[in-house]
Amino acid sequence: MDSPQGGVTGAGGVVGHNYFPDGGTEAAFVATFVLFITWLLSLFATPIVHLNTSDTDHGREREASGPLGRISYLTRVARDGFLLLFATTVANFSGHGISSAVEILSWIVMGLVLLWELTIVGGVAHWWVELLFVIPVVIIEAISFGLAFRNAPSQR
């Protein structure tokens, strides 16, 4: 389809132009990018913590409560948070489009995952603390993923 700017339009705006079609789309991708950066930083921190930790187990994994165990857990949470938000952002972007509801849900998930990462860095490691973050993130992401397919044609 031709656009008034003379290019071809698609889900991402006008082909050949480097902007998002609206602010909501950009905001959802920014929230995803923030979680991607925290994942990368935690991957970078793993070898640094490993170098500064004495190796008493002769190469075996250290106890989960030690610094290396915490950074490994942080890396997993950062990765999973990024992948969850990335999947829902892409599904919404290619589905019905990113609405203000999806934008708000993306920022809520980003905030919850960042708080979860801060509790890990702070050394709070209780199963119920993890549930306080996992349950809302999973529910919000399920809602957000479902919004990608709103008004989809029914299978009759």
Side-chain angles (χ1 to χ4, degrees):
M1 171 186 289
D2 290 335
S3 72
Q5 294 87 4
V8 178
T9 59
V14 179
V15 176
H17 297 277
N18 58 353
Y19 60 88
F20 288 101
D22 58 30
T25 303
E26 183 176 5
F29 274 101
V30 167
T32 304
F33 182 70
V34 167
L35 291 184
F36 179 69
I37 293 300
T38 62
W39 179 25
L40 291 178
L41 289 175
S42 66
L43 285 173
F44 177 72
T46 302
I48 293 172
V49 171
H50 183 57
L51 287 174
N52 294 327
T53 306
S54 64
D55 190 6
T56 58
D57 297 326
H58 303 293
R60 288 181 283 156
E61 282 193 39
R62 287 168 190 77
E63 189 177 313
S65 62
L68 191 58
R70 273 203 320 257
I71 200 72
S72 293
Y73 184 55
L74 173 68
T75 301
R76 286 192 304 273
V77 168
R79 178 200 59 213
D80 293 347
F82 164 71
L83 291 175
L84 281 170
L85 196 54
F86 183 70
T88 55
T89 301
V90 169
N92 275 285
F93 186 67
S94 30
H96 188 66
I98 295 177
S99 64
S100 59
V102 172
E103 174 189 353
I104 291 167
L105 292 175
S106 297
W107 281 88
I108 291 171
V109 167
M110 182 197 70
L112 285 171
V113 171
L114 289 175
L115 283 173
W116 188 2
E117 292 170 0
L118 286 174
T119 61
I120 293 168
V121 171
V124 180
H126 300 288
W127 64 270
W128 56 270
V129 173
E130 184 171 349
L131 281 180
L132 288 176
F133 291 108
V134 169
I135 291 172
V137 165
V138 168
I139 291 170
I140 292 170
E141 286 295 273
I143 292 168
S144 182
F145 204 91
L147 289 174
F149 304 103
R150 65 187 178 276
N151 300 328
S154 62
Q155 301 286 333
R156 294 180 200 202

